[in-house]
Coordinates of all heavy atoms in Angstrom, one line a residue:
G45 N -41.8 -86.5 -30.1 CA -41.5 -87.3 -31.3 C -40.3 -88.2 -31.1 O -39.5 -87.9 -30.3
L46 N -40.3 -89.3 -31.9 CA -39.1 -90.3 -31.8 C -39.1 -91.0 -33.1 O -40.1 -91.5 -33.6 CB -39.3 -91.2 -30.6 CG -38.1 -92.0 -30.1 CD1 -37.0 -91.1 -29.5 CD2 -38.5 -93.1 -29.1
A47 N -37.8 -91.1 -33.6 CA -37.6 -91.9 -34.9 C -36.8 -93.1 -34.5 O -36.0 -93.2 -33.6 CB -36.9 -91.0 -35.8
Q50 N -33.2 -93.4 -33.4 CA -32.9 -93.0 -32.0 C -33.0 -94.1 -31.0 O -32.6 -93.9 -29.9 CB -33.9 -91.9 -31.6 CG -33.8 -90.6 -32.5 CD -34.7 -89.5 -31.9 OE1 -35.9 -89.5 -32.4 NE2 -34.3 -88.7 -31.0
G92 N -35.3 -78.9 -29.8 CA -34.5 -79.8 -29.1 C -34.7 -81.2 -29.6 O -35.5 -81.4 -30.5
C93 N -33.9 -82.1 -29.0 CA -33.9 -83.5 -29.5 C -33.5 -84.4 -28.4 O -32.5 -84.1 -27.7 CB -33.1 -83.7 -30.7 SG -33.0 -85.3 -31.4
L94 N -34.2 -85.6 -28.2 CA -33.8 -86.5 -27.2 C -32.4 -87.1 -27.4 O -31.8 -87.7 -26.5 CB -34.9 -87.6 -27.1 CG -36.3 -87.2 -26.7 CD1 -37.3 -88.3 -26.7 CD2 -36.3 -86.6 -25.3
S95 N -32.0 -87.0 -28.7 CA -30.6 -87.6 -29.0 C -29.5 -86.6 -29.0 O -28.4 -86.9 -29.2 CB -30.7 -88.3 -30.4 OG -31.5 -89.4 -30.4
V96 N -29.9 -85.3 -28.7 CA -28.8 -84.3 -28.6 C -28.6 -83.9 -27.2 O -29.5 -83.4 -26.5 CB -29.3 -83.1 -29.5 CG1 -28.4 -81.9 -29.3 CG2 -29.4 -83.4 -31.0
H136 N -38.8 -82.6 -38.2 CA -37.7 -83.0 -37.3 C -37.5 -84.5 -37.3 O -36.4 -85.0 -37.5 CB -38.0 -82.4 -35.9 CG -36.9 -82.8 -34.9 ND1 -36.1 -81.9 -34.3 CD2 -36.6 -84.1 -34.4 CE1 -35.3 -82.6 -33.5 NE2 -35.5 -83.9 -33.5
E137 N -38.6 -85.3 -37.1 CA -38.5 -86.7 -37.1 C -38.1 -87.3 -38.4 O -37.3 -88.3 -38.5 CB -39.8 -87.3 -36.6 CG -40.2 -86.9 -35.2 CD -39.1 -86.9 -34.1 OE1 -38.2 -87.8 -34.2 OE2 -39.1 -86.0 -33.3
H140 N -34.4 -87.4 -39.1 CA -33.7 -88.5 -38.4 C -33.6 -89.7 -39.4 O -32.6 -90.4 -39.4 CB -34.4 -89.0 -37.2 CG -34.2 -88.2 -35.9 ND1 -32.9 -88.1 -35.4 CD2 -35.0 -87.4 -35.2 CE1 -33.0 -87.3 -34.3 NE2 -34.2 -86.8 -34.1
I144 N -30.2 -86.9 -40.4 CA -29.9 -85.5 -40.2 C -30.5 -85.2 -38.8 O -31.6 -85.5 -38.4 CB -30.7 -84.7 -41.2 CG1 -30.0 -84.9 -42.6 CG2 -30.5 -83.2 -40.9 CD1 -30.9 -84.4 -43.8
L145 N -29.7 -84.4 -38.0 CA -30.1 -83.9 -36.7 C -30.3 -82.4 -36.8 O -29.7 -81.8 -37.7 CB -29.0 -84.2 -35.7 CG -28.6 -85.6 -35.4 CD1 -27.4 -85.7 -34.4 CD2 -29.8 -86.4 -34.8
F146 N -31.0 -81.8 -35.9 CA -31.3 -80.4 -36.1 C -30.0 -79.6 -35.9 O -29.9 -78.5 -36.5 CB -32.4 -79.9 -35.1 CG -31.9 -79.6 -33.7 CD1 -31.5 -78.4 -33.3 CD2 -32.0 -80.6 -32.7 CE1 -31.1 -78.1 -32.0 CE2 -31.5 -80.4 -31.4 CZ -31.1 -79.2 -31.1
Ligands
NI1 NI1 -34.8 -85.6 -32.6

Side-chain angles (χ1 to χ4, degrees):
L46 193 68
Q50 294 183 273
C93 177
L94 297 175
S95 292
V96 172
H136 176 113
E137 301 311 328
H140 278 296
I144 297 166
L145 299 174
F146 82 91

